[in-house]
Amino acid sequence: MRLRYSPTSPYVRKVTAIAHELGLFDRLELVATNAWDPVSDLPADNPLGKVPTLLLDDGEALYDSPVICAYLDALVGDRLLPAGGPARWRVLRNEALADGVLDAAILIFIERNKRDEAQRSAWWEQLQLDTVARALDVMEGLADGFEVEPDLGQLTFACALGYLDFRFPELEWRQGRPALERWYQTFASRPSLQATTPRDPV
Ligand SMILES: N[C@@H](CCC(=O)N[C@@H](CS)C(=O)NCC(=O)O)C(=O)O
């Protein structure tokens, strides 16, 4: 399998962390891809022009990160995403919650770093910040109830919080969220997360 990736994408991190958890990382051939390059060939594999994109050995392309993670998990027999029952929907909902934090944070990152200053909108940025804050408050309420065994939802939570630490330390997400902080402090030491901690390329 070939994974089109960029080194700082939190969605890519999610996929690679899950691959580590499942013992599949060595089966991924990593293909560095700049999704922002206007002449990138990425759209030939993924018309949405986004990483992560997983290319299967039969030529099929899978996107986006929830689909890729579910695929990898199915390969090894549903270890991080329960096959059915209420637990499945809870895990998927938690994944969507943390993905939503990432979606809003990425929009802020784009606004601040890729958009001309004259075009930036404080109103738009505030909408995204409010989304992040609301989602984090819900995550705070969920953190104490997490199972000891990791699942896809928890791993996505960790990638979202890691991304906030990486790009938005000034948001101080730990402030007023002691349960989430406590949970993350332990959970972030998992080898899969240590191996994928985001860093700017040197
Ligand atoms: N919902 C997608 C989001 C992926 C995404 O937004 N990736 C970013 C990199 S962090 C990207 O490729 N952006 C390029 C673009 O939007 O043109 C997923 O979960 O995979």
Side-chain angles (χ1 to χ4, degrees):
M1 295 177 282
R2 300 167 72 222
L3 180 69
R4 301 197 67 154
Y5 82 103
S6 76
T8 56
S9 163
Y11 307 97
V12 168
R13 182 188 187 200
K14 205 179 128 187
V15 167
T16 51
I18 262 93
H20 277 288
E21 288 283 343
L22 297 172
L24 292 174
F25 184 75
D26 289 346
R27 284 176 55 185
L28 296 178
E29 182 192 333
L30 300 177
V31 181
T33 302
N34 179 359
W36 294 98
D37 177 354
V39 295
S40 168
D41 63 351
L42 177 60
D45 290 326
N46 176 352
L48 305 176
K50 291 180 195 293
V51 290
T53 296
L54 184 70
L55 305 172
L56 304 184
D57 295 342
D58 65 3
E60 185 92 36
L62 294 184
Y63 41 82
D64 44 11
S65 65
V67 176
I68 299 172
C69 291
Y71 174 79
L72 295 178
D73 194 51
L75 280 185
V76 298
D78 307 320
R79 286 195 356 219
L80 297 172
L81 175 61
R88 176 179 177 82
W89 309 117
R90 203 172 306 121
V91 168
L92 286 173
R93 190 277 317 278
N94 287 349
E95 180 188 25
L97 180 62
D99 275 344
V101 169
L102 287 175
D103 294 344
I106 291 277
L107 287 175
I108 299 170
F109 183 78
I110 292 170
E111 192 74 10
R112 289 182 185 173
N113 297 284
K114 298 216 181 271
R115 195 176 278 244
D116 287 344
E117 204 157 349
Q119 291 181 328
R120 287 182 203 155
S121 162
W123 167 80
W124 177 247
E125 182 171 322
Q126 193 55 52
L127 272 188
Q128 309 312 323
L129 287 169
D130 290 348
T131 298
V132 170
R134 279 196 309 271
L136 287 171
D137 287 344
V138 172
M139 288 159 78
E140 164 71 8
L142 293 168
D144 268 343
F146 278 154
E147 304 290 334
V148 176
E149 284 302 305
D151 61 37
L152 175 59
Q154 292 174 39
L155 286 157
T156 310
F157 269 38
C159 291
L161 297 173
Y163 186 72
L164 295 181
D165 280 343
F166 177 49
R167 292 291 192 215
F168 299 96
E170 75 282 2
L171 288 187
E172 297 187 338
W173 65 261
R174 291 169 179 79
Q175 208 62 42
R177 299 185 184 99
L180 198 56
E181 175 178 14
R182 209 167 35 245
W183 167 78
Y184 183 69
Q185 200 164 340
T186 306
F187 196 79
S189 67
R190 297 187 69 76
S192 66
L193 294 169
Q194 290 294 312
T196 57
T197 301
R199 281 180 200 91
D200 273 317
V202 278

